[in-house]
Each structure stands twice: as C-alpha cells, then as structure tokens.
C-alpha cells in the first residue's frame, strides 16, 4: 500500500465492496456509489417485474450512457475548428471590404 492509499468500503445494493484508493479520490468514489444506488432504486420502482440482473444491466447501461454523453460534450475540437473557419471567413470578408 502506498502512502496516499486509503481503504474504504463502498456499499452497492446492500453489498460491501472494500477498495483501496487514493485518499483525495474518496468523495468521487462515494458519489459514484450513491449514483449507482439511486439508479438501482429508480429502476426497481419503474420496472418492478425485472429481476436483479436486469436491474444491474440497466444501471450499468445508464452509467455508460451518461459517460458517453459527457464525452461528447467535452469534444470541443470540431467546435473549435468551426470557430476558426468562421473567424477566417470574417477576416477575409473584412479584408475585402477594406480593399474596395
């Protein structure tokens, strides 16, 4: 165990999972566990006829979908390229106007 390592127990759906993490990451881990537990509870309420495996699969899918959406929002490269192109077009237009 490293100096910054810290042991915590994360409870997901009533089961304890001991983890060794960096102490500064504890809050993120606890928030993630809270998200999972809340999502499980929500799916249980909405889909009472589904079994445990279905609920866990739907919870995993929801987390993956959230991650995918976040990744898309953080991909600014196309947006930046579009702004550069627009800026170039505006600059060209202004240069043309000054020449006339």
């Amino acid at each position: 165990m490293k100096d910054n390592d810290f042991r915590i127990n994360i409870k997901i759906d009533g089961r304890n999972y001991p983890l060794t993490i960096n102490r500064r990451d504890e809050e993120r881990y606890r928030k993630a566990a809270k998200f999972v537990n809340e999502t499980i509870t929500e799916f249980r309420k909405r889909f009472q006829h589904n079994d445990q495996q279905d609920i866990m699969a739907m919870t995993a899918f929801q987390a993956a979908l959230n991650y995918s959406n976040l990744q898309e929002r953080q991909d600014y490269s196309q947006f930046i390229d579009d702004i550069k192109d627009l800026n170039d077009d505006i600059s060209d237009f202004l240069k043309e106007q000054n020449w006339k």
Side-chain angles (χ1 to χ4, degrees), residues 23-38:
R23 185 177 292 275
R24 70 173 179 253
D25 296 330
E26 180 182 7
E27 185 176 353
R28 283 190 359 209
Y29 278 77
R30 295 202 185 277
K31 283 181 180 180
K34 182 179 179 184
F35 167 79
V36 169
N37 285 315
E38 288 172 351

Side-chain angles (χ1 to χ4, degrees), residues 80-97:
I80 290 170
D81 289 343
D82 290 345
I83 289 178
K84 286 179 182 176
D85 290 342
L86 184 58
N87 188 44
D88 290 343
D89 291 344
I90 291 170
S91 293
D92 291 343
F93 175 78
L94 291 175
K95 285 178 187 176
E96 288 174 10
Q97 295 301 313

Side-chain angles (χ1 to χ4, degrees), residues 2-81:
K2 298 177 187 172
D3 288 342
N4 290 336
D5 286 351
F6 183 62
R7 297 220 11 109
I8 63 171
N9 283 306
I10 295 296
K11 186 178 273 192
I12 296 178
D13 198 28
R15 289 185 163 185
N16 284 315
Y17 296 92
L19 300 171
T20 301
I21 63 168
N22 189 303
R23 185 177 292 275
R24 70 173 179 253
D25 296 330
E26 180 182 7
E27 185 176 353
R28 283 190 359 209
Y29 278 77
R30 295 202 185 277
K31 283 181 180 180
K34 182 179 179 184
F35 167 79
V36 169
N37 285 315
E38 288 172 351
T39 304
I40 289 169
T41 299
E42 178 184 324
F43 282 131
R44 279 208 179 107
K45 288 177 185 174
R46 287 184 11 200
F47 306 105
Q48 294 176 3
H49 64 279
N50 289 28
D51 69 9
Q52 184 68 14
Q53 185 173 349
D54 290 339
I55 298 296
M56 290 301 181
M58 291 164 41
T59 299
F61 179 77
Q62 182 67 47
L65 184 60
N66 289 349
Y67 176 77
S68 178
N69 289 337
L70 181 61
Q71 291 297 92
E72 275 185 30
R73 285 188 293 200
Q74 290 184 350
D75 184 13
Y76 297 112
S77 59
Q78 183 60 46
F79 179 69
I80 290 170
D81 289 343

